[in-house]
Amino acid sequence: MPAPIVSWYTSDNSSQVTQWDIGTVDAGSLSTTFTVLIWNNRGGSTAVSDMQNCTLTTKDSSGGNTGELVTNTWIEVKVDSLSETAFTAVGGTVTKDIRATKSDTPAKTIKGPANDGNVNTANTTANFSKVTLRANVPPTATAGLVTFLTRVSYQYT
């Protein structure tokens, strides 16, 4: 079966997300929240492999585990697909399990069946995970521009 086809979309599913511009966040403050849908095979007419053991974390701009934002876990996530209300800090090797909305989807899985790409229909709820992100910048943060990656890791067969 073909590899997963991963894409990130706005919470209303109207446009693809290629970057998260947090804007300016003062030290000791929270950023505004940013909700995204992480899709496998959005609108695909044929099935692809499931994304298994899905986790979300942050990396530095080179894909490593350095920098204040990563090592001090400034980015927090809650998995709306699981009806979570509390945020969990992530960064580097500190990850958060994610999974699709459909209740019978296995833990840490985003499935890859054919679907119409519409979040309001039953045939897509196994194909995406809805997550909300925010930055929680500590009072001791160094001032300046911080670039980083938000990464979903997974396996497939």
Side-chain angles (χ1 to χ4, degrees):
M1 189 167 293
I5 302 170
V6 182
S7 56
W8 295 47
Y9 274 77
T10 54
S11 62
D12 64 2
N13 200 35
S14 64
S15 56
Q16 191 165 11
V17 174
T18 58
Q19 67 180 15
W20 173 27
D21 183 359
I22 297 174
T24 301
V25 182
D26 291 331
S29 300
L30 291 172
S31 71
T32 58
T33 59
F34 182 62
T35 303
V36 294
L37 307 175
I38 302 171
W39 281 90
N40 182 8
N41 198 28
R42 180 183 182 271
S45 58
T46 59
V48 299
S49 294
D50 293 347
M51 296 166 60
Q52 301 168 332
N53 298 316
C54 298
T55 61
L56 188 138
T57 194
T58 59
K59 298 287 185 177
D60 63 39
S61 58
S62 299
N65 294 330
T66 64
E68 281 182 294
L69 180 138
V70 174
T71 60
N72 296 331
T73 60
W74 292 1
I75 302 302
E76 299 176 336
V77 61
K78 70 179 174 87
V79 183
D80 302 298
S81 298
L82 299 175
S83 300
E84 292 182 350
T85 56
F87 283 86
T88 301
V90 297
T93 60
V94 179
T95 64
K96 175 68 176 163
D97 294 349
I98 64 170
R99 66 162 247 202
T101 302
K102 193 168 183 179
S103 60
D104 64 353
T105 301
K108 298 171 58 173
T109 300
I110 303 174
K111 294 186 141 311
N115 66 87
D116 61 13
N118 184 341
V119 297
N120 295 320
T121 59
N123 76 337
T124 62
T125 58
N127 289 84
F128 67 89
S129 180
K130 183 176 183 180
V131 300
T132 298
L133 304 161
R134 71 180 182 191
N136 187 353
V137 182
T140 57
T142 303
L145 178 65
V146 178
T147 57
F148 68 98
L149 305 171
T150 307
R151 176 174 289 167
V152 171
S153 298
Y154 61 91
Q155 299 169 325
Y156 71 97
T157 55

